[in-house]
Each structure stands twice: as structure tokens, then as C-alpha cells.
Amino acid sequence: MSGFLTAALVLAAGLFAVGLFGLVARRGVLFQIIALEIMLTGPALAFVAAGAHHGDPAGQGMFVFVLVLAASEVALGLALYLRLARHADAGDSDTIRELRR
Amino acid sequence: MSAAGIFATWAAALALVAMALAVTRPNVVHALIWVVAGLLSLAAGFFALGAGFAGAVQILIYAGAIIAVFVFVVMTIDSGPEAIARERARLAAGWKGPLVLMLLVLAPALLGLLAGPGGQGDGAPLPVPARTLGMLLFGPWALAVEAASAMLIAALLGARHLARREGGR
Amino acid sequence: MLTPFLALLLVPAPAMGAFLLLGLGPAELNRRAVQTVALVGAVLPAVVMLPLGAYCLMGTCDGIQPIFDLTVGDAVVALALKLDPLSAIVGVTVTLIGACVIGYSIDYMAKAEVPDLRRYFALMNLFLASMLCMVLAGDSIVLFLGWELMGLCSFFLIAYHVTSSRAIAAGRKAFVITRVADAFLLAALLLLFLEAGNVRLDALIPAGIAADELRQGLIAALILAGALGKSAQLPFHTWLPSAMAGPTPVSALLHSATMVAAGAFLLARFAPLMQAVPLVMALTAVLGAATALFGAASAVFQKDVKRLLAYSSISQIGFMLLALGLGEPEVAIAHFVVHAIFKSLLFLSAGDITQIARGTTDISAMRGALWSRPLAFVAFAAGAASLAGIPLVTAGWFSKEAILAAAWLAGPFGVVLWLVAMTAAVLTATYAFRPVFTGLTRIGRPRPSLGGIFTNLPIALLAVATFAVAPLVEPIMEFLGGAAPHPPHAVELVGAAAPFLGIALAAALTFVPGLSLRVARARRMRSGIRIDGIYQVIIVQPFVKMVRWLTGQRGGIADPVGSIPVLVAQRLTAAAIRPLAHDPLDRGWMGLGAGMVRAWGAGRRIQSGRVRDYALALALGLALLLLIAWGTTWR
Amino acid sequence: MSALLPHIALGLGALAAMLLAPKAPPVAARTAAALGMGLAALFAALRLGLPEGMAVPVLADDGLARFGTLIASLSGLATLVYLRPAPPAREGPALLALATLGAALIAGATHAATLFIGLELVTLSLIALFVLPLTRTALEAGYKLLIMGGAGAAALLMGLAFAYAATGSLELSGWMPGPGLRGDPVLALAAGFLLAGVAFKFALVPFHMWAPDGFQGAPAAAAAFAGAASKAAVAIALLRLAAVGLPEPIWSAGLALAAAASMLLGNFLALRQESLPRMLGYSSVAHSGYLAALVATGTAAPEAVPFYLLAYMPALIAALCIAARIGADAQLADLRGLVWRAPLSGAVLTLALISLAGLPAVAGFIAKIYLFLAILAAGNWLLLAAALIGSGLGLYYYLRFVVVLYRRIPPGQDAPHYPVRAPVETADAPLPLAEALVLGGAGMLLLAAGLVPGPFAAALAGLLP
Amino acid sequence: MALTALIVLPLLGGIAALFLQRFGRDAERWFSIAVLAAALVALVVAWVGAPPEDAPGPQWLAMVRYQYAPALGLQFLLAMDGLSAALVAVSLALGIVSVIISWNIRKDSGLFHACLLWTVAASNGVFLAMDLLFFAFFWELMLVPSFLLISIWGHGDREAVALKFLVFNAVAGLGLLAAVFWMAATAPEITFDAFVFAEMGIPPVAQVWLLLGFSLAFLTKLPAPPLHAWLPDAHTMAPTAGSILLAGLLLKTGAYGLFRFPGMLFPDGFHVLAPYGLALGAFGTIYGAVLACGQTDAKRLVAYTSIAHMSIVLMGLAGGVHFAMMGAGVEMIAHAFSASALFLLIGALYDRTGTRDLRELGGLQQTAPRFAAAFAVFFSAALAMPGTANFLGEALVITGMFQVNWVLAAVALVSLVVSVVYATRLLKRIVFGAPIRACVVQDLTWSELGPIVVLATGTLLFGLLPQLLLVVLEPAVDAALAPLARP
């Protein structure tokens, strides 16, 4: 495994972890969606770097799919955010807890 | 490590820093700007890795389209100073736990990666022309691409339903 | 196969049929019908048995009628009835006595309610059937079947007066004690069965003789114990006097003439086996002689005629056992026959006399019987004469003399027994004639009366028989394969004198006021030696105490073996639950359940509803998985 | 090409339903979706037993794929019958068809791309289905699924990417740890990430949090689909992943750990739930645990997992559909005396619950036997203890609901009307005949597989290599 | 096929009976009788049919083997030998008796009859199943209808008693379950087939533990002290039909299990544990008899006698010799008749007087002679009078005990004596004595007399013509003992 791939994978894990941090630490729905996007950039980087390492187009192919997923999630997530904001304080996801226990 | 590799690593590291800043900004707009910065850095890294198509798509769609949608949404809500202060207070109240958690997830990943058999191969990224990518996507992967479009349709249907006016038809 | 022995099956059948019809048949029957069925059921066996006996007398008397055969493992269970001299003689006796007594009952029980009458006759017939089964049995199973059913009938008949707690208690006592003896007998029979691999008596007895010494001795001792219990011999005698709580015909048939004497029959049946074990034989003789003396002595002091006769039965069967122990089963059986006749006669006539004396059976009820009930009294006197053994005319003399002779001839050991038996014989005459002399004392001016035909015919027949059988005693012994032993004439003369000495004593006791008063006071002897009390102390009371303790009536835990594990388990559960349960009453599973509910209430807080917490859990899980992943590759 | 017929039918059905949704009467979209799913089921059924191969380079065409497609389409059809959220949601049929397509893709996925896209297609469709009623609880359920689903997807992708980086292959079969790769930490990490991603879709503890909330807040039909079809598809994916042999022991150990935790926690938290859908949500967590235990122990019987699905899916669908008939978030009290008021529903619900509990005479019992035998054969005492305790707890809460079905309402009291809180009965309400067919079919299937499991087991064993 | 019907008919019949209550008066009663009669026909068909070719031994009269889920080793395996046939016949007969004597049960009579039929079905399953998973299943299933019978139609503190019954037997059943699953898991190929287990060659130490597990379940059901605490309560509080089924069927399942499996599966374990079984039986027979002497509740008294008699059965089974085993088989059948009849009589008396307290009863002889006669007949049976099947059983057991150990034989003989004490106590308090006001009752009706006659016929028939029973039992006994002879 070449050096840059290891570095890229480490950074990808970092991106993923940062996104996870955002997901756990932030209470605003919007921030959480942003954190999700950041989480997804981790695998994106990893795929592209691995593709470059293997000289294989499949890495970039998977990147495209990740991108599609990110786009879909943003679309659904933002629509949901707008809808939620009518019912609840979407700035604080902790208040959205009718379903529990 | 080749020069391209070093540059790509540098760019990705920048992206990580930008993302880290993004998740810690109390102001949504600032956060979004840092996200864009991070995405652009990543795009630069992609270019350095010889994945030109990925870099381009990243800039156009990710940093361009998706973030634009974000910004539109952000503009519909007000984020006045008190909202920012509230956000800052919330973040200040609970960032240590999540940080520890993040390190907990990261630690085994880093340990595993760094323990791995590094330094094999010539170390240089191999560029992949967009043409071979196209051959792949519209050749053997055609079904997957179709399915990805179905994914978009599903998201679209959901978003459309959610966006329906209250008490709409 | 059609043989004359097929008729054996018909002997107990009528009586059994009568029992089924009366005891278990659902149809309503009136008094006349009940009496008819009972009488037919009682007489028919005699009608069948007499020709068989005659056939036996003429032909070769050794026949088997199989009932069914089956194999259990390697063993053969072959049920059969058997006709041989022993069963023929005893069978004829039992059928005749049975017919007489049941016939007599028709008048005697005339006042009973129809359902009670039905029950009475059903049981009497069942008894007759089972006694015949036992007598005619060719195998141990039928033998034991009859043996046990007799005990069952005895219990029910003693307790015939179901409202009398005394009668019920007497019945239970009789049943329990005889059951103990039955258990011994059963053990003996099963051991023999294991030795022989067959239940036929023809196979059992040789197998028993062939068994090793220890086992042989054990079997013989167990058989003896069974016989002692059924025959109310020392030390099992206590049940018989109290069994007199039953109606008089019951006492006549079961508790004197036939069932009680079955012990003697049993020992005669197994005589070859018993004779192979000298120790047990000696024990039989000693116990027999002791019982004879003890019974006679107790009888002398009885106030109650029936109890007197009961002790007399104990004593007379003692004589039989003495003969058996001396190796003279033929003599014993001859005495069995004679005793059956005169003892049933005594009971029936005494019953007839006392019945008109308003039911009391006190000896004073006999007063003036000669005048008030002449026929019955004469019959009673005839029976008493036979019991006392008036020489030459009565059957009793011939059979008893043979026993005494056998004792005298049995060597120095026998002479001691002879002395004991002779004393008993003297006392026998004494107690036999006490009621007779009492009957001679006239009170008032009683009007002579006669009972019905059903009362008088059996009494008359039996009275005649006491004398008629006298010349037959020796032939019976010979028919059974033995010979009447004859001692020196001097000894025979002493024996002949004994009854007269006894009669004189009886006259003295009755007519000399001082003596009769002293007799009346002799409580100790009246109730027999207090073996009852000893049993009460060493067996009954501890048993009752144990039962009370085990059932928690003494303040303990009821059913401790079952309850203590439950209690321990409950305690343990409670102890385990206590830290969780606030409510001390909330024990056991409910406590566990409550703890579960609380734990659930706490546990469900995990599902807080906050997305951040969900993400937290997700991250933790991921971290754990990655840690494992890294750990598994760590070098 | 004929191997793709079911997918084509589903795709066209979804497209037609989507296009018909805005203008045409609601029944048209429903019919289009139903046609698509019905045809897909038909095609998949017809292809059972044909020679196996690859449909396209990223999609297998084998017994497992056909079986998965068949049951996904059938459960899609069943849930479609009961899909009627309160405000008319015209997108429902199309979304359901898309979700079914996703499940069919997962069932055939031999490639990272198909696996990932199938999973995400199901997830996104489910999010959209969850929020159909637009009530606050529905939105909350959808939101939770979105956030958790995103995180799960990211974890899954990380796993795929790491595996790709380590091996250079996106084929699942390419990840077989060869001599050079044994002990490769990157591949091991990939397995860890992958496990987390799949466990999320499978609702294994601690990735299960969305399930109970989703079951309670979302429309019952969507929940039924999430619990039945999507779970079946993921189970098949798990089987395929297990078959390629990802690095051990992380795979089995991690799966077994999650399975044990799911069996314990899922059953425990279900104990005294008053809400039927929520109880079923926790129970689905528990059943995921049982299934995962089956996979983790590498059961010797090839038909074990499919049979478990066959026992579990009809029971869950029937139970949730009856909950849907009663109204949103049916409570224990609403079920009182159901058997006497609505005999078919009551009887089928009884069968479903005792099958879930694993009592004899119904399919769940046989499934439980498969489970216990597999655990015993593997000698995994942790799993055995967890399965025993879990089953014991399960007995309690399932029977609690069963008993209430038979408890007559005292004469003085008002009988709750059935359906208790009637959903808005509009023109698009399906025919009661269809509902009866679904319930009756589920009941018959449970009984048949419970009483004569032999033919079923033989057929399922024949499906698999 | 006919064997399957023996289980399926009552099982489905029970479900139908649940709903038949709605169709007219007594429909469910006649229906239940019809179902049980049909099952009797099926039993006859199975019995006289050609013996199965694939049977592992000549003793099997009929067999059904259906591969249920072969990969799981699940199969539906029923096999009937003489003992099972006899016990099934008894269970069906007692089922009919229970229906007849419960004619006046009005409360939820549909469910009542369903429970009766289910109990019969489950016990038939226990008697026939040779696949141990099914055996264990029926074993546990049996508890449910019995539990309902006690807790819904019982007397007194019925819920607590029913719970006690359930807890005792369910917990004990776990021993059986654990042992069965352990064997299945260690078999070379997963299976629950008892015939396979028999050939498997289980290591001796394992045999001991497995037999302990089996015995826990069987001894509790039997019941042998100290596991018997549930029985007196359950018998006392159950409705009459419940008591009959408990005494006639449930107790027999325990004895049946001890008859069938220890020798077949665990010969080595049997040799180790048999002395303890003998000791337990010896203790139980005296203990039960002594406690019966002190009871004031008539049903409780009979319940304790059941403990005594079933302990004799235990002695016979643990003896491991031919006579004792035969005796145990006969005693099972005999006790089913006699104990059921006594419960029936006491139940009928309770219906009339509202009390079972011996101190408040008396004088039946005067007021109800038929009652008294019936009591006397079964009193004799309880005493093991010769001529009743009970005597045959006990005599055979004692014979066997003489071969094993004379002390045990002596103990059994002592219990024979004690039986007189409790039996005469029962008779003295109920039948004898002056009629007490409460006891002025109607005599037995014809519908009560019918069952009584059936039970009495059974008791006396097998007592007087024992070959009817012995011929049937012998092959089963031989087969059960054959593995024990192996060194």
C-alpha cells in the first residue's frame, strides 16, 4: 500500500470522525445534516484515493454514487427540515422526541 | 511518496481542518462556507490524484449545487445574533463527550491503518481518464447507475411530498 | 375336557352368584326374594359338594380342574381347583355349616331392613364363596384370593351394625390384624412362587422343601404367622373377642366354625413343608398348647356368652395347632370338622336363646332357657357336651382325645404339652357347662316357645350331627391318610375323666354363690391378658402420633417432606428478591416480576428519543467494532 | 436479460405510479405499482429453479436472489394493500415499488455498488414512506431514520472503501482474505465498518434506535416493509457477506456480539410496551438478533435463514397490518376482545404473535428450533444464554397481547368500535377483500409452515448452493 | 395414520368444542364423547393393523414416521407398544368418563370440554411419541389444559393451587428439555429420534446426568416425595373431571416415562441410579400411606394414597426385574381405574353435600346403598384385594422386590397393611356411622353409575383375567429390560 493511500485513508477516517463529532455534538437539525454531508466526504476521499492507487475507474465510479446519495439526502433532509420547522424547534433536535422509550 | 501524493495529502489535510472548523461554527453561514472550503480542497486533492472527473464533479455538483440549495434554505430562516449565541452556548455545553467519542472511533482506525503494510508499490497515484470511467458506468455498471437514478427519484418524491402545502390536495 | 372335577367350579359359583345379585345387582328386590336368593346361593354349594365328596370317597381322590394358564416371563401361573381328601372333607363341612347358618339367618335377621338384609346375605354368600375358593384352591393365587376375601367379608360383617362405632372399631381392628398376617402369608406364597416358578400347590410344596434351609425356614415361619393371625392365636388373638360385635350367625360361621379355623386348614395344606422345618413345628405346637390353655382360662371367666364362645374358639383352634405342630394334620382336620359342627351349634342355639332375651348376650340371658326355649337349650347342651368332650357319645371326645394322645406319644416334650392340654381340657368342660347350668336355673314362670322352621331345622340338624359324627371321626382321619393315635389306656382314662372334673367345677362355679361372685369379679381374666394394651402402647399410639405429627395436627408442618422443599425454595426466592422488593409481602415470582418491571422502566430510558443519543450509541457501537477489528489484527 | 425482468417490472411500475400520481385517480397509481410488484413476483417465481448465473456483472441471478426478489415483491404487495396514511399521499405506491426494487437489488448484490445502492434506495424510499402522513410523529420517525441512515450509510461506505483500498476489488468475492491479505488490518477495519453499516439496516443493537420509533410513528405499512422486506433483503446480503468470508474473527465475533445484545435488549425493552407497533419494533430488533445469530454461527442447514424469514415476515406483516386497521399507534387496550369482534383479524393476529413467540404449531416454532440447534451445534454459550433469556422474555410480552385478544369486554362496557380509530376512509381505500386475502394468506402460510415444514424446508434448501 | 388420529382427533375436537357451545344445549358434550369414541375406534384400528415393517423391535404394534423437517432432524414419530396402547385406551375411556360426570358444568362449558380433550390429546402424545422433541412438547402441553381446569373450574384457593401445579411441573420439565436438547446436540447428526439415541452409546457419566434430568420431570409428575407437594393440593382443588384426569393420565405419564426411557436410553445410568429410585419408592409408599391415614379431606386422602401407589410403581420400575416391571405396568392401569373411581365418587358426594370433610360426612350406607356399594368395591381395589387389578400389580411388584432386596419387599408389604388403615378410615367416615344431616343424599344416578360400572369392570376384569393385560404388557416389558441385561 503506497504511502499516499495510507495518508488518504487516515484523512478519510478523520473526515468521517469529524462528521460523527458534528452529528453527536450539534443540536440543530441543519447542523446535523451538514455533519452528515461531512461524514460522507470521508468515504468519497477514500474511494478516489484507492482508485488512484489501483489505477481503476471503479473508485471514481463509487464516488459518483456517494455524491448521488449525498445529494438525495440533502434534498430529503432539507425538505424534512422545513417541514419539521413548522411543528417544532428545528434548531434544537433534542426537542423532537415525542417517540421514545 | 510522489509529489502528487504529497500534494493530495496536503490538500486533504486542509479539507479536514476546514471541515473541523465547519462543525464547530455557531453560525450556519460560516459553517457552510467552511464546508465549501473543505470541499474545494478535496477537489484539489482529487485533481492531484489524477481523478479529474471526480474533482470536476465535486466542484460543480457538491460545492456548487448542493451547497447552493443549503444556502437557499438557510436564507428562509433567520439566524440572528441570539440564535447564534444559543448555538454557541449549546456547543460549549457539550463538546467534550463527543470529542472523546470521536477519538474513540478514530483511534482504532488510525492504529489499524498505521500498522498496515505501508510503503508498497511505487507510491504514485495512477491517473484514470474520464473515458474509462464512462465505459465503466455505462457498461457493466449500467444497472447500478439506473438504480442510483431511482434513488434520486425516491428522494425527489419524498421532498415533493414534504414540500406540499399544508392541507394540499 | 369334561371330567367330574369340572363340578368343582360349580361349588363356589352359586354363592358368588347370589352375592353378585344381592350385593351389586341394581334391581330392587323384596324381602322374600332376598331371602330366597340367599338361601339358594347357600344351599346349592352343599348340593354340589356332597356328590363330589362321595365321589372322592369312592374313587381315586386326587383331581385338578384348571381354570387358566398363563406365563409371566419364565414362570407359569396356572390357576386351578383341586379335589383331594383334605379339600373334600373341609369342603363338605364348610358347605353344610354354611347352608345351616345362612338358613338360620333367615329367621334370625327377619327384623332387619331390606337393604341391610340384602347387604348381610350378599356378604355371607360372598364369604361362603371365598371360603370354598380357598378350601378347593389348587394354587396359591386362588388360595390367597379366598383368604383375603374372607378377611374383607369379615370386616364388613363385623361392622354390619354400621351405626355402632364399637362394631366399626372392632371390624377395623380385625381387618388390620388379619391383614398383617395376610401380608406374612402373601410373602410366603410369593417366595414359594419364586422358588417354584409356578403357583400350583403341587409344585410349591416340593419346591419349598427343596429350597435352601434359611429360605425354607423363613417360608414356614411366614406361613405359620399367617395362620396364627387368621386363627386368632397368640399373640394375634385380640381381634376375635371384639369381633363378636357382629350378628350372631356371623360369629357362628366366620368367627368360630370356618374362617377362623382356616389357619389350621392352611397349616394342614402345607403340612409337608412345615414338617420339614422342625423348629417351626415345635413353635406351632407350643403356641397351640399355650393358646389352648390361655383361651380356656379366659373363657371360664367371661360374663358374655358370645365372648365366652370366642375364647373357646381361640382355645379349640389352639388344640388344632397343637396337633399340627405334633405332625398330625389329619387329627387336626378331624377336630376342625367336629369343632365346626359343635361351635356353630353353640352359637346358633345361644343366639336363639339370647335373642328372645332382648338382644343382650350376657350369660344371665341364659337363665331359664330350658323352659323358655327348650329345643335351643337342649341343642346348646348337646354342643356343650361335645365341646367338653363327654366320652364315647360326643364327637368332641374322639377328636380331642386323639390330640391328647398325639401329645402324649410325642416323647418327653409331648408330655409337657399333654399336661398343658389336659388342663385346658378340664377348663373347657368348665366354661362349656357354665351357661348350661345357668340355663337350668329357673326364674319366674316362662312360657315355652319355639322359633320358626329356619331356626330350628339347622339347630336340630347340627345337634344330631354332634353325636352322629362321633363314629366318623376315626374314619375321617384314616381317609385323610392318617391314623388315630392311641395312647396307653390309663392316659385315655385320665382324658375321659377330665370333662367330668370340669363339669363339676362348672357346677360349683354356678351354684356356689361365693365362687360365682368371685368369678364375676375376675376382670383381668375376663378381658384376656392385656395384649391389646401392649399393642396399643407399642404400635397404635406411636402410629397415631406419627400420623398426627406428619399431618400437622400437632402444630408442626403438614406433610413435611413435601412442604419443606417448597418452603426452602420460597425462602430462597424471597431472600434473593428482598433487595429488589420494597414490599415485604411481594414474594416469589411476583417480586421477581416487579423487579423486572422496574428494570424495564429504567432500561427503556436508553431509548431517549433524542437523535444525538442515538448517534452516540451508534458511534459507541462502531468504536467497539473497530476496536475488535483492530484488536484481532494487532501483533 | 430475462433475469432482469423482475427489476424492470418494478422500475416500470414505480415510474408509471409516479407519473400517474399527480393527476390520475389514486387507484391508478396503486394499480400500476401493484402490477409492477405482482409481475416482479411472478417473474421471480417463474425463474425459481432455472440455471443460475449472473444477470449483469454487478447482479447475481441465483436462488437466493430470486427468493429475495419474490418475498420482497410479495411483502411489497401486501403492504401496499394496507398503505393508506391519513392525508392522501399519492407518492406512496411509487415509493413502495422503488423500495421493493431496492430490496430486489440487495438480494442479488454481489458487488459493492449494487449492495450500497440497493440499501440506500430502500432507506431513502423508507424515509419518504415514513413521512407520508406528515404528522409530527411521522416526521420525527422519518427524521430519525434519515440521520441514522446517513450515518449508517457513511459507515457502510467507509467499509466498502477500505475493502476496495485493501484488495482493489469491489466484487464481494474479491475480498476473500487470501494468503497475502490474512491479518490485513485495513481489511479488518473494513469488516468492522461494514458490519456497523449492515447492522444499522438490520436494526441490531446498538444500531437499532430508529426501529421502535419508526414502527410507532410511521404508517404501519411502511413499518411492515421496513421490518419484513428490507430486513429479508439485508439478511440475504448478510448471508452473501458471510459466504465470501470476511476477515475472521471480527465478522463472527462482532455479529454474535450484536446478535446477543439485540436478543437481550430487544426482548427486554419490549416487555411492557402498551403500543402494539412499538412492541413489534422492539420485537423486530430481537428477531434481527436471532437472524444474526443464525448467520454468525454459520448454521449447517442452508435453509435456516430463509425459513426464519418465511416464518417472521408473514407474522410481522399481519400484525402490523392489523395494527394499521385499528388506527395509528394501536394500543394494548384497543385489542381487547378483538377475536370476538373481528374473528379473522383476531385469529391471524393470534397466529402471528405465537409464531413470533416461537410456540409450536406455527412456523415460528420451527424457526426457533433451527436457531437453537444452530447455536447448540456451534457451542456458543453466550448466544445460547441470550437466546434462552430472550425467548423467555418474548413469551411474556407476546402472550400478554394474545391474552388480551380473548378477554371479552364485560357486558356493561362499551365495545371499542373496530376499527377503533378509523383511518380516513377515502376512495383509495383498498377493497376489504384484498385485506382479507393478505391476512388469510399470512395466517395460512404460518400454519402451513408450522405444521408441515418439511416441503418448505426442502424447497428452501434447494434454493441455496 | 390411525396413530396420528389418536392425537389429532381430540386436539381438533377440542377446538371445535370451543365453538360448539353456541349450538344448542349439550352439543359440545355429545361431540366430545363422539370424538373420544372415534379415537377409540382409531386405537382399535391401529392395534389390530399389521405391525410396522420398519419398527426397531417386535414389540411395536404400530408406528408412524413422517420426516417433518429432515435437515433439523425433526420428525413426527409415533410408536405404540402394548403399554402405550393400554394407557391410551385408559386415557380415552377416562376422557369419556370425565365428560359424562361433568354434565352439570355450565360455566364456559365449551372451554371446559376443550380442556378435557386437549388433556387427553396431550397425554396420548406423551404415550405415543418416540421423537423426544415431540415427547417434551406434549409433556409441557399437557400442563396447560390441566392448569386451566384447575384454575377456572376448581374449588377453594384454585388460582394459587393451579399456579403451584404449573410451577412444579414446568420447572421440573426443564430437566427433561435440557437433557433432550443435550442429546440432540451431541448426536452425530442432529435428531430427536429416541431409537437413534438408544443406539448412540452415550458415555456412562453423561447417562447419569441425563437420567437425572429425565427423572426430575418424571418423578415430579409421578409424584415421588419430596417432589409431591403439588399433588394433594391440585387433586383437592380440581373439579372432579380434573382430578380424574390428573390421577388417571398425568400421573401415568410420569410412570410411563420412567418405564420407557431409562432402560432404553441410559442403561448404565439406570444401574447407578436405580438403588436411589428403589429407596425413594420405598419411602414414598410408606410416607404417602401414613399421611393418607391422617387426612380429613376425602380427596386429599385419596391423593396421598395415589402417592403411595405410584411409589409402588416407582419401586417396580426401579427394580429392573421382570416381575417388578410387569407389576408396575399393571399397577399403572389399575390405579388409573381405582383412583379415578374414588375421585368420581367423592366428587359426586361433594356435589350433593358441599363438603369433603370426613368429619362432616357419614351414614351413606343407610341413605344411599348404591353409593356405599360402589365405595366398597373401590375400597377393595385401594386395598389391593385379590381379584382386583391392583392386587395383581402390587403382588407382582412385591415378587420382583423379593428378587431385588427383601427389605424392599417387606416395606411394600407394610404399605399393604397401612392401606387397610386409611381405606377403612375412609369407609368408616363416609359410609358407616349414623347418617349426618348433610349426608342424606340422593343415591347414585344412572349417569354416574355408568362410569362407575365401566371403571369397576376394568378393575375386576384385569384382576380376575390378568392374562388380558399381561399378554399385552409382556413384550413391552421384555423390550424395556433387554438393554439392562447388557453388561
Side-chain angles (χ1 to χ4, degrees), chain D residues 55-81:
Chain D
V56 287
V58 291
L59 195 69
D61 175 35
D62 54 8
L64 212 50
R66 292 165 191 161
F67 171 69
T69 310
L70 178 62
I71 56 176
S73 310
L74 287 180
S75 27
L77 262 180
T79 46
L80 180 64
V81 169

Side-chain angles (χ1 to χ4, degrees), chain C residues 227-322:
Chain C
L228 291 177
K230 201 66 153 188
S231 290
Q233 301 293 289
L234 281 175
F236 296 106
H237 67 279
T238 61
W239 64 270
L240 189 60
S242 43
M244 295 298 129
T248 301
V250 171
S251 309
L253 187 58
L254 273 70
H255 300 129
S256 60
T258 54
M259 184 190 90
V260 174
F265 172 80
L266 182 78
L267 292 178
R269 223 347 141 214
F270 286 95
L273 174 58
M274 306 300 290
Q275 280 162 8
V277 191
L279 192 64
V280 174
M281 286 293 277
L283 190 65
T284 315
V286 169
L287 278 174
T291 313
L293 180 59
F294 160 77
S298 298
V300 170
F301 297 96
Q302 294 306 313
K303 267 175 72 185
D304 183 301
V305 181
K306 284 183 76 179
R307 284 178 75 88
L308 181 146
L309 291 175
Y311 277 109
S312 156
S313 296
I314 294 174
S315 166
Q316 292 301 307
I317 298 165
F319 275 109
M320 291 178 215
L321 255 66
L322 174 61

Side-chain angles (χ1 to χ4, degrees), chain C residues 390-591:
Chain C
I390 303 289
L392 296 175
V393 287
T394 60
W397 186 71
F398 286 97
S399 57
K400 193 178 293 174
E401 195 53 32
I403 296 172
L404 292 169
W408 179 265
L409 294 174
F413 170 62
V415 173
V416 178
L417 293 176
W418 180 83
L419 273 176
V420 174
M422 191 52 90
T423 319
V426 171
L427 290 175
T428 305
T430 310
Y431 69 70
F433 274 86
R434 259 188 67 215
V436 177
F437 291 143
T438 312
L440 293 174
T441 54
R442 183 168 177 169
I443 42 158
R445 189 183 285 267
R447 198 155 40 89
S449 68
L450 282 175
I453 176 80
F454 284 115
T455 310
N456 292 328
L457 188 61
I459 290 180
L461 281 176
L462 289 168
V464 170
T466 47
F467 298 105
V469 171
L472 293 179
V473 171
E474 279 197 39
I476 287 174
M477 293 181 200
E478 279 152 22
F479 177 58
L480 287 168
H486 287 287
H489 288 294
V491 177
E492 228 167 313
L493 273 176
V494 174
F500 297 107
L501 181 61
I503 291 169
L505 207 56
L509 284 178
T510 317
F511 301 116
V512 180
L515 275 178
S516 61
L517 213 64
R518 197 165 291 174
V519 169
R521 285 198 189 125
R523 284 237 172 76
R524 180 182 303 273
M525 286 312 280
R526 187 156 65 238
S527 51
I529 294 172
R530 300 300 297 258
I531 290 198
D532 249 357
I534 298 171
Y535 286 160
Q536 188 75 22
V537 170
I538 65 168
I539 297 177
V540 178
Q541 280 175 0
F543 182 80
V544 169
K545 261 186 202 160
M546 176 168 72
V547 168
R548 292 224 173 114
W549 183 70
L550 286 176
T551 51
Q553 292 167 23
R554 299 229 146 171
I557 303 165
D559 189 0
V561 172
S563 309
I564 287 174
V566 175
L567 287 176
V568 168
Q570 278 175 352
R571 289 276 155 78
L572 283 179
T573 322
I577 296 302
R578 194 166 298 133
L580 294 173
H582 296 300
D583 185 356
L585 293 174
D586 202 4
R587 277 193 198 163
W589 286 107
M590 292 319 290

